[in-house]
Amino acid sequence: MQIGKLIGQGRTAEIYEVGNDKIIKLFKSGISKQAIEYEYNISKEISDSGFPVVKTYELVEQDNKIGVVYDKVNGRTMMEKMATEPFKIYQHAKNFAELHHSMHKGIEGNISSIKDRLIDCINATDLLDSSCKERLTTYTKKLPDGNNLCHGDFHPDNILNEGEKYYIIDWMTATKGDSLADVARTIIMLKYGVLPDNMSRGQKITINIFRKVLLKQYIKHYMKISGISMQAIEKWQLPVAAARLIEWVPEHEKKKLLEFIQDEIEKL
């Protein structure tokens, strides 16, 4: 396969053009073949099922790396769109909530359970003692089951916009279960996510204000269109926060998550 120029990169992969209408997502070394195959299979299944995702084609090997070929979207991320149109923050938050709600539908196939994923992550962290893990595991098992598609990393940088259409990308963390666990995950990321150190104090203040408005309006609109309560969402925030401790997030963010976890676990 003849690949073109590099057009993007993240923590797990680099994105290259393939011809005029496709891209290849080449995964970096250190990402297991099993995880890549899982993302491919999930992406293929949901793209063939009418969800708001980029069409998925094939799993390939290129330059001693494994990649997935997708349709090319000629647009920008929702985050970039928000940054250039801050005066439209309420509309962006509404679109963000509606897109998330639109993908929370029943899904079949060989997809991991979100409850099992959370429990595995909780038990894998070194930042919680065995007693805390046991209490969190017991608590998580009692939460509602479900069969809805959950993204597992739904935030504005994982959404591409082209014209009037939005596409959700990066499905390596996809699961199925109670959709409110997925909402709780987005809330935890927006609420506790730490901004990069290379940003100026002024930039951080601006983005934090912007993010607070986005979070508030996202929650408000999601509850309106789904008919669920904040109390129902909050039940999932504790295990979601605990599971995030094993991820590649800054130490300061982990500290904030631990403070939240300790406060909440005392209420169990």
Side-chain angles (χ1 to χ4, degrees):
M1 178 180 292
Q2 186 67 36
I3 66 173
K5 67 177 181 179
L6 176 71
I7 58 173
Q9 58 182 316
R11 292 180 304 180
T12 61
E14 296 174 334
I15 311 299
Y16 294 88
E17 290 181 332
V18 178
N20 296 322
D21 59 355
K22 293 182 177 63
I23 59 97
I24 182 170
K25 181 178 181 179
L26 281 181
F27 290 87
K28 298 178 180 179
S29 58
I31 306 301
S32 72
K33 184 177 181 181
Q34 181 181 11
I36 297 169
E37 289 177 343
Y38 182 80
E39 175 168 340
Y40 167 72
N41 290 329
I42 297 296
S43 299
K44 188 72 170 65
E45 179 172 345
I46 61 180
S47 72
D48 291 344
S49 300
F51 287 90
V53 300
V54 179
K55 186 172 178 58
T56 307
Y57 289 95
E58 57 183 327
L59 186 69
V60 299
E61 290 195 19
Q62 181 78 26
D63 300 330
N64 296 317
K65 295 180 179 179
I66 303 176
V68 180
V69 179
Y70 297 94
D71 265 342
K72 181 181 180 182
V73 175
N74 294 305
R76 51 184 175 168
T77 68
M78 181 178 274
M79 178 63 77
E80 291 169 332
K81 189 176 176 68
M82 289 178 175
T84 57
E85 300 174 343
F87 53 91
K88 294 184 179 180
I89 183 60
Y90 287 90
Q91 184 60 50
H92 291 317
K94 182 178 179 181
N95 293 341
F96 186 56
E98 289 181 351
L99 184 63
H100 206 186
H101 185 256
S102 73
M103 58 148 282
H104 285 152
K105 299 176 182 177
I107 184 76
E108 300 299 332
N110 188 25
I111 304 177
S112 301
S113 156
I114 195 164
K115 288 171 71 170
D116 289 346
R117 176 75 61 82
L118 290 173
I119 291 169
D120 287 345
C121 291
I122 289 167
N123 287 310
T125 182
D126 296 327
L127 300 177
L128 300 172
D129 61 36
S130 58
S131 175
C132 185
K133 291 178 182 180
E134 185 176 347
R135 293 176 70 185
L136 285 168
T137 296
T138 300
Y139 174 79
T140 304
K141 287 180 177 180
K142 293 178 181 178
L143 290 171
D145 293 308
N147 195 46
N148 287 339
L149 177 63
C150 298
H151 184 272
D153 202 27
F154 188 84
H155 55 75
D157 255 346
N158 273 340
I159 300 167
L160 296 178
N161 171 236
E162 183 180 49
E164 297 298 317
K165 293 184 178 180
Y166 289 95
Y167 302 90
I168 307 168
I169 60 173
D170 290 349
W171 291 89
M172 187 175 285
T173 54
T175 55
K176 62 182 177 181
D178 186 346
S179 55
L180 299 190
D182 208 31
V183 176
R185 161 80 182 190
T186 295
I187 292 172
I188 290 294
M189 287 191 293
L190 290 176
K191 188 173 182 179
Y192 295 105
V194 174
L195 297 174
D197 291 335
N198 59 2
M199 283 188 175
S200 69
R201 184 171 180 273
Q203 287 176 317
K204 288 182 178 180
I205 290 173
T206 301
I207 292 175
N208 278 328
I209 292 173
F210 180 82
R211 189 163 59 179
K212 286 179 181 178
V213 175
L214 172 64
L215 175 58
K216 181 179 180 180
Q217 295 304 316
Y218 158 74
I219 295 171
K220 180 180 178 180
H221 195 67
Y222 192 97
M223 289 193 298
K224 179 181 178 180
I225 59 180
S226 65
I228 55 88
S229 66
M230 190 63 204
Q231 184 180 17
I233 299 172
E234 288 174 342
K235 290 179 180 179
W236 283 100
Q237 291 189 49
L238 175 56
V240 165
R244 187 160 168 75
L245 292 173
I246 68 163
E247 297 178 34
W248 299 337
V249 296
E251 290 303 313
H252 183 51
E253 182 174 343
K254 288 185 178 180
K255 182 179 179 181
K256 292 165 68 176
L257 290 171
L258 282 168
E259 290 173 354
F260 170 76
I261 292 164
Q262 293 302 325
D263 287 344
E264 291 299 310
I265 205 167
E266 290 178 3
K267 301 175 185 177
L268 296 183

